[in-house]
């Protein structure tokens, strides 16, 4: 009796599956004993800090992969001798260069690139070069200064064109000492030509195209920016003389996640907050009776063409509200703005603008220096401050030479009115003493917290003397507060002070890269507190901390600490527990050239070359790097051939089974 063909097919299929399963079981068991879990044995991933792509009005800057993924063998440069050897015996294929951070410089980077086989760069962060390192220009932001055609070398560690202003068509990352040690251990000193060899795959495909204007319109990037913070103890009066105290609120570095700016910027932030806290201990009536009103300004996005202060000044002069906010006093729904109180600041009433920068360390003489433009008004302000110098614990001197202003937010104001009395106070005379300006090593080891406290005390006394002809009260900064502030800002943002002031816990690793600006529709909110929460969610931890502390120090009235659910429409919330009336405000910090159309949800860009324009490229969700073992191509070919052989054996076995059993089955 003959079985049906369908039954024969089932039998043969079952036999083939049985053979395949036996083979699969064998290889699965073999691989299971060889690697468990497989990924951990195959790949070493890094907690890396990438250099990302930004775009300016003129084109791209920063780093990106030309392809979605690049990989290559590893060349380790532990010393300059290794680099010299690599120049003699050049790699024969695109490679990943692993450079010890202690030898990094613009010259080293240029030498590596000139070899011509660069697929990517890994900076093994074992610490700073002993001689210093700054990826910034020798004349930082001179193109946005008052004398762009005659730049002055303020930053002797810098070079032009700077690393920060260059475009690199390959990924660059930094890994910490622990990851670097694991990396070198896995490499085990083997040459990149010896198989099997370790290779690194880097995935940093950036989507930004052409330049800042084009990518904004094409929605492949976002504007660099955030929120500035400013405030005063009382409502600003347009008819009262004004003293404006300012500091930059952001920093930058080649690796944005490591932009700490301890000496360059954060020391000034801590000092100015401490001055506000020092004044807050005086009776409010006494502060109100001062002959000049004092405004505290923390300008964000200053590392990007002074975007924050440029925007603030542009709005002072040009802003017009076409639709007021219906629920929040002094807000504007169109164009949206947190508060229009800034319009009460009159250029005609500005008695002094004083900026703090680079004050985290003092030079050998322990002095501070005043820099200004060559104007009668600024010289007069400088003379007044010199006359008050003895009031503070830090000597104050006139900077030598006629070099004008170092990098400074003051330029934004002086471009509008060159007769404004404007002084920058810094720790350097004719050139930066900061050896790590705008690098990842301008960190907690690069500041003297005790000196910052002395500077805060001195500034408080000098400013009070400017604001009043009466004898100054006893004014001394709270050194314990400054220690806590500097710990938060340059060491651990998850500090208790942050959680107490802001009401949530921040990521521990500080970074003061401004990030990207996010539009907030002011007209959609019914209270200042709900608007504040939206800005907190879209802004930076740095701005949120400064806003919360300044609002607290300048607060006029307080409700009991019973949560913020019952705040009045014009009150703000401090630490999720107190409703506060304070004249402290956010202000958009992004290029004046950029507008946002809330109806069409698109950006509008004005082509004004005199204004900064910076954006940050968007990227995919799978960026990262990993290290793995690569077999000799001949071995890979042999494995492939073996696979084919197994396939043909399986096929032959199946056919043999079919012919053998098929004949027997036909007998039935």
């Amino acid at each position: 009796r003959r079985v049906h063909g369908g039954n024969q097919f089932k039998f043969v299929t079952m036999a083939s599956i049985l053979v395949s399963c036996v083979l699969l079981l064998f290889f699965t068991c073999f691989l299971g004993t060889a690697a468990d879990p497989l990924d951990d044995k195959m790949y070493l991933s890094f907690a890396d800090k990438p250099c990302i792509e930004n775009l300016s009005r003129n084109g791209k800057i920063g780093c990106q992969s030309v392809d979605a993924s690049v990989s290559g063998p590893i060349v380790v440069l532990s010393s300059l001798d290794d680099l010299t050897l690599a120049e003699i015996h050049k790699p024969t294929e695109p490679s990943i260069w692993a450079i010890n951070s202690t030898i990094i410089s613009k010259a080293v980077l240029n030498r590596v690139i000139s070899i011509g086989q660069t697929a990517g760069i890994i900076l093994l962060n074992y610490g700073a070069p002993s001689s210093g390192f700054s990826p910034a220009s020798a004349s930082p932001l001179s193109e946005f200064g008052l004398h762009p055609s005659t730049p002055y070398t303020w930053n002797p560690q810098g070079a032009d064109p700077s690393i920060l202003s260059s475009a690199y068509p390959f990924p660059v990352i930094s890994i910490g000492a622990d990851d670097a040690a694991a990396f070198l251990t896995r490499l085990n000193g083997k040459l990149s030509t010896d198989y099997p060899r370790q290779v690194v795959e880097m995935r940093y495909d950036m989507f930004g195209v052409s330049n800042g204007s084009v990518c904004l319109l094409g929605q492949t990037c976002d504007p660099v920016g955030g929120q500035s913070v400013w405030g005063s103890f009382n409502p600003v009066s347009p008819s009262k003389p004004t003293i404006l105290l300012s500091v930059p609120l952001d920093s930058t570095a080649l690796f944005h996640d490591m932009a700490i700016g301890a000496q360059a910027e954060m020391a000034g932030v801590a000092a100015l907050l401490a001055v506000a806290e020092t004044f807050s201990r005086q009776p409010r009536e006494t502060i109100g009776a001062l002959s000049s009103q004092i405004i505290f300004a923390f300008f964000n996005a200053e590392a990007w063409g002074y975007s924050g202060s440029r925007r603030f000044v542009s709005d002072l002069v040009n802003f017009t509200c076409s639709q007021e906010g219906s629920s929040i006093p002094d807000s504007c729904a169109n164009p949206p703005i947190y508060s229009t109180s800034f319009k009460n600041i009159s250029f005609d009433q500005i008695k002094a603008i004083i900026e703090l920068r680079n004050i985290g360390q003092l030079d050998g003489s322990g002095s501070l220096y005043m820099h200004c433009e060559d104007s009668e008004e600024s010289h007069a302000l400088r003379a007044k401050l010199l006359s008050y110098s003895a009031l503070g614990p830090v000597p104050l001197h006139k900077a030598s030479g006629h070099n004008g202003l170092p990098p400074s937010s003051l330029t934004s104001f002086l471009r509008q009115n060159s007769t404004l009395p404007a002084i920058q106070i810094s720790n350097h005379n004719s050139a930066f003493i900061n050896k790590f300006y705008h690098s990842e090593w301008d960190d907690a080891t690069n500041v003297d917290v005790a000196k910052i406290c002395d500077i805060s005390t001195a500034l408080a006394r000098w400013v009070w003397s400017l604001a009043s002809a009466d004898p100054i009260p006893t004014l001394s900064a709270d050194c314990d507060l400054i220690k806590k502030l500097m710990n938060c800002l340059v060491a651990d943002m998850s500090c208790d002070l942050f959680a107490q002031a802001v009401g949530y816990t921040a990521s521990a690793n500080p970074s003061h890269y401004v990030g990207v600006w996010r539009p907030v529709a002011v007209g959609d909110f019914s209270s200042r507190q709900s608007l504040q929460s939206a800005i907190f969610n879209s802004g930076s931890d740095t701005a949120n901390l400064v806003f919360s502390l300044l609002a607290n120090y300048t607060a006029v009235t307080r409700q009991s600490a019973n949560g913020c659910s019952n705040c009045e429409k014009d009150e703000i919330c401090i630490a999720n527990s107190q409703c506060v009336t304070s004249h402290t405000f956010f202000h958009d910090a992004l290029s004046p050239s950029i507008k946002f159309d809330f109806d069409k949800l698109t950006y509008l860009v004005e082509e004004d070359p005199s204004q900064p324009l910076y954006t940050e490229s968007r990227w995919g969700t799978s960026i990262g790097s990993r290290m793995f073992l690569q077999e000799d191509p001949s071995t890979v070919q042999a494995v492939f051939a073996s696979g084919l052989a197994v396939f043909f054996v399986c096929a032959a076995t199946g056919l043999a089974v079919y012919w053998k059993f098929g004949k027997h089955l036909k007998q039935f």
Side-chain angles (χ1 to χ4, degrees):
R1 187 164 59 92
R2 303 176 75 175
V3 299
H4 295 294
N7 291 335
Q8 291 181 20
F9 177 78
K10 289 180 181 178
F11 183 86
V12 172
T13 301
M14 290 178 62
S16 299
I17 291 174
L18 180 62
V19 172
S20 299
C21 287
V22 170
L23 291 171
L24 179 63
L25 181 63
F26 170 79
F27 284 111
T28 301
C29 292
F30 174 77
L31 291 174
T33 58
D36 184 25
L38 190 57
D39 269 3
D40 289 344
K41 292 188 179 294
M42 286 182 64
Y43 300 110
L44 173 66
S45 297
F46 312 122
D48 57 336
K49 309 293 185 184
C51 162
I52 65 170
E53 180 184 71
N54 292 101
L55 300 97
S56 71
R57 195 181 294 277
N58 300 320
K60 296 183 177 183
I61 55 178
C63 315
Q64 70 153 7
S65 301
V66 174
D67 300 314
S69 172
V70 297
S71 61
I74 301 157
V75 180
V76 177
L77 303 180
S78 298
S79 66
L80 294 178
D81 289 341
D82 290 341
L83 177 54
T84 301
L85 192 62
E87 290 171 323
I88 298 171
H89 305 287
K90 297 180 179 181
T92 58
E93 59 185 310
S95 302
I96 306 297
W97 297 80
I99 306 175
N100 190 309
S101 62
T102 60
I103 66 167
I104 193 65
S105 68
K106 176 70 184 298
V108 166
L109 192 58
N110 286 345
R111 287 173 64 184
V112 169
I113 294 171
S114 68
I115 292 174
Q117 295 287 11
T118 306
I121 291 177
I122 300 175
L123 190 69
L124 308 177
N125 198 340
Y126 283 111
S130 58
S131 59
F133 172 73
S134 173
S137 166
S139 306
L141 297 176
S142 59
E143 65 271 33
F144 299 106
L146 299 175
H147 312 286
S149 61
T150 56
Y152 177 81
T153 301
W154 292 103
N155 180 25
Q157 290 287 343
D160 292 293
S162 71
I163 294 175
L164 295 183
S165 64
S166 298
Y168 298 104
F170 48 80
V172 180
I173 64 171
S174 174
I175 61 175
D178 291 342
D179 275 340
F183 172 89
L184 294 176
T185 298
R186 185 158 181 160
L187 191 59
N188 197 28
K190 290 191 67 175
L191 297 175
S192 61
T193 54
D194 297 337
Y195 286 99
R197 66 183 184 179
Q198 296 290 342
V199 299
V200 171
E201 177 191 30
M202 306 178 82
R203 305 178 306 279
Y204 295 97
D205 186 26
M206 301 286 161
F207 301 156
V209 295
S210 188
N211 59 45
S213 299
V214 172
C215 72
L216 276 179
L217 297 176
Q219 299 184 3
T220 60
C221 64
D222 297 289
V224 168
Q227 295 291 326
S228 295
V229 177
W230 73 278
S232 60
F233 284 94
N234 298 299
V236 174
S237 169
S239 59
K240 191 171 184 177
T242 300
I243 299 173
L244 178 65
L245 307 178
S246 80
V247 292
L249 188 54
D250 68 305
S251 189
T252 192
L254 179 62
F255 309 105
H256 291 167
D257 291 340
M258 304 173 75
I260 300 174
Q263 183 179 152
E265 290 95 7
M266 292 307 110
V269 171
L272 192 54
L273 284 171
V275 170
E277 191 279 332
T278 300
F279 288 169
S280 74
R281 289 183 254 130
Q282 300 302 310
R284 190 52 53 93
E285 297 78 12
T286 303
I287 295 176
L290 293 173
S291 60
S292 297
Q293 56 192 350
I294 301 169
I295 295 175
F296 303 88
F298 301 78
F299 293 122
N300 221 335
E302 291 301 277
W304 302 88
Y306 311 120
S307 292
S309 58
R310 287 282 187 101
R311 184 69 174 228
F312 192 79
V313 171
S314 176
D315 286 345
L316 280 178
V317 176
N318 302 314
F319 184 84
T320 300
C321 182
S322 60
Q323 181 186 344
E324 295 182 357
S326 59
S327 301
I328 306 173
D330 295 326
S331 67
C332 184
N334 187 25
I337 202 159
Y338 183 87
S339 172
T340 58
S341 296
F342 68 93
K343 293 293 288 183
N344 290 325
I345 301 174
S346 169
F347 268 91
D348 294 336
Q349 291 294 335
I350 293 179
K351 177 180 178 179
I353 308 179
I354 301 174
E355 179 191 41
L356 296 180
R357 279 193 187 230
N358 277 303
I359 64 163
Q361 289 272 16
L362 296 181
D363 66 4
S365 69
S367 300
L368 291 171
Y369 298 89
M370 291 183 290
H371 302 266
C372 66
E373 287 297 302
D374 191 13
S375 73
E376 181 180 342
E377 293 79 8
S378 292
H379 289 174
L381 174 59
R382 184 177 63 188
K384 277 190 177 181
L385 289 171
L386 277 175
S387 70
Y388 303 144
S389 175
L391 297 174
V394 181
L396 184 62
H397 301 292
K398 178 178 72 171
S400 61
H402 300 283
N403 305 317
L405 284 168
S408 174
S409 306
L410 300 178
T411 60
S412 299
F413 290 86
L414 293 171
R415 287 176 77 253
Q416 183 63 37
N417 184 346
S418 62
T419 65
L420 289 175
I423 294 287
Q424 183 190 99
I425 296 178
S426 70
N427 62 2
H428 58 85
N429 186 3
S430 58
F432 292 173
I433 65 171
N434 186 354
K435 297 197 301 180
F436 303 108
Y437 181 77
H438 283 177
S439 83
E440 57 268 40
W441 297 295
D442 188 6
D443 56 18
T445 64
N446 203 34
V447 293
D448 185 335
V449 175
K451 292 299 182 184
I452 298 171
C453 186
D454 289 341
I455 293 168
S456 299
T457 295
L459 182 64
R461 295 174 185 176
W462 298 335
V463 171
W464 193 281
S465 299
L466 275 177
S468 174
D470 298 329
I472 66 170
T474 302
L475 298 173
S476 294
D478 183 343
C479 292
D480 186 58
L481 170 65
I482 291 176
K483 288 179 183 177
K484 293 178 180 178
L485 282 169
M486 289 303 292
N487 176 60
C488 285
L489 291 169
V490 306
D492 181 9
M493 285 287 279
S494 65
C495 58
D496 291 340
L497 177 63
F498 187 100
Q500 293 163 5
V502 186
Y504 67 87
T505 301
S507 174
N509 297 324
S511 170
H512 305 296
Y513 168 61
V514 62
V516 296
W517 180 82
R518 302 294 185 190
V520 176
V522 174
D524 293 347
F525 299 91
S526 59
S527 68
R528 184 83 69 190
Q529 187 268 326
S530 60
L531 174 57
Q532 171 200 340
S533 297
I535 294 177
F536 269 27
N537 291 333
S538 66
S540 70
D541 291 335
T542 315
N544 294 348
L545 174 62
V546 169
F547 178 91
S548 299
L549 290 173
L550 186 63
N552 189 31
Y553 298 151
T554 60
V556 178
T557 59
R558 306 167 190 267
Q559 291 187 10
S560 58
N562 58 355
C564 293
S565 58
N566 297 317
C567 290
E568 299 294 332
K569 285 188 176 182
D570 199 30
E571 289 182 325
I572 57 176
C573 179
I574 300 298
N576 289 335
S577 62
Q578 281 189 321
C579 296
V580 172
T581 299
S582 177
H583 305 288
T584 297
F585 310 101
F586 284 114
H587 198 96
D588 285 339
L590 77 162
S591 169
S593 294
I594 300 175
K595 314 293 182 193
F596 186 77
D597 187 327
F598 279 85
D599 294 327
K600 298 179 180 179
L601 300 180
T602 57
Y603 288 102
L604 306 174
V605 180
E606 297 177 1
E607 294 302 329
D608 181 357
S610 69
Q611 293 289 8
L613 193 155
Y614 289 98
T615 66
E616 179 186 290
S617 176
R618 296 178 183 177
W619 60 79
T621 57
S622 61
I623 66 170
S625 300
R626 59 183 183 176
M627 182 180 187
F628 60 92
L629 191 67
Q630 183 185 62
E631 293 288 350
D632 190 320
S634 61
T635 302
V636 175
Q637 293 169 2
V639 171
F640 179 70
S642 300
L644 285 177
V646 170
F647 170 77
F648 286 120
V649 167
C650 288
T653 302
L655 289 172
V657 169
Y658 172 77
W659 287 110
K660 179 176 179 61
F661 288 97
K663 288 183 177 181
H664 289 290
L665 288 170
K666 289 179 181 179
Q667 304 303 318
F668 294 95

